[in-house]
Amino acid sequence: AVVSTQSTGTERDGNISEFLKILYNQFYKERAQYVKDLHTSLVSICGSDKKEYNIQDLCKAFEITDPEKSSKEVNKLLAKVFSLNLDQLSSVGPVDRELLLQRLKSSGLNRSGPKGV
């Protein structure tokens, strides 16, 4: 039997196919734009001079940026971002802006619906 390696996104020599590279690039660009949109919402909520954000600010930013994402989904995502259980989320203090944005970028974050306002 012949197994098609094209369906897995790899060439016979183990390299990632061009199509899969395009998908990866699109995914990472969309995630980066999503994080940028969240940051823009945070700035509109808190002001541009704020260097730390609290969980409540971030939840509001999600409501603006991705209104389709439920609060339950946001809480699960934030628990993952901070490596906490859901019940520990309320204990998180203000988080450095740059650290937060970096964690969001590496969290597997994706938009739930069409781009918000």
Side-chain angles (χ1 to χ4, degrees):
V2 175
V3 176
S4 170
T5 57
Q6 290 296 76
S7 65
T8 64
T10 58
E11 306 287 337
R12 287 191 184 275
D13 62 3
N15 291 328
I16 296 174
S17 72
E18 198 59 36
F19 176 71
L20 197 51
K21 286 180 187 176
I22 291 169
L23 285 178
Y24 283 144
N25 286 337
Q26 178 181 342
F27 173 75
Y28 289 112
K29 283 179 184 176
E30 286 176 1
R31 183 187 302 160
Q33 184 60 52
Y34 190 24
V35 172
K36 186 176 180 179
D37 293 345
L38 283 168
H39 182 238
T40 300
S41 294
L42 283 165
V43 168
S44 72
I45 294 165
C46 304
S48 60
D49 58 338
K50 195 160 185 185
K51 303 290 185 217
E52 294 182 330
Y53 298 115
N54 62 43
I55 293 292
Q56 294 78 17
D57 296 334
L58 193 51
C59 289
K60 288 177 194 171
F62 272 104
E63 288 175 19
I64 294 168
T65 306
D66 193 358
E68 301 275 327
K69 193 174 288 299
S70 71
S71 59
K72 184 177 180 178
E73 287 176 287
V74 170
N75 287 339
K76 284 174 70 174
L77 174 73
L78 293 177
K80 180 181 173 186
V81 165
F82 295 109
S83 301
L84 300 170
N85 295 321
L86 282 172
D87 58 340
Q88 296 172 309
L89 204 51
S90 61
S91 67
V92 174
V95 180
D96 176 74
R97 176 181 58 205
E98 295 307 317
L99 175 63
L100 175 63
L101 296 175
Q102 189 58 41
R103 284 187 175 196
L104 288 171
K105 284 180 187 174
S106 62
S107 69
L109 181 68
N110 63 337
R111 202 178 294 272
S112 294
K115 191 172 180 177
V117 177

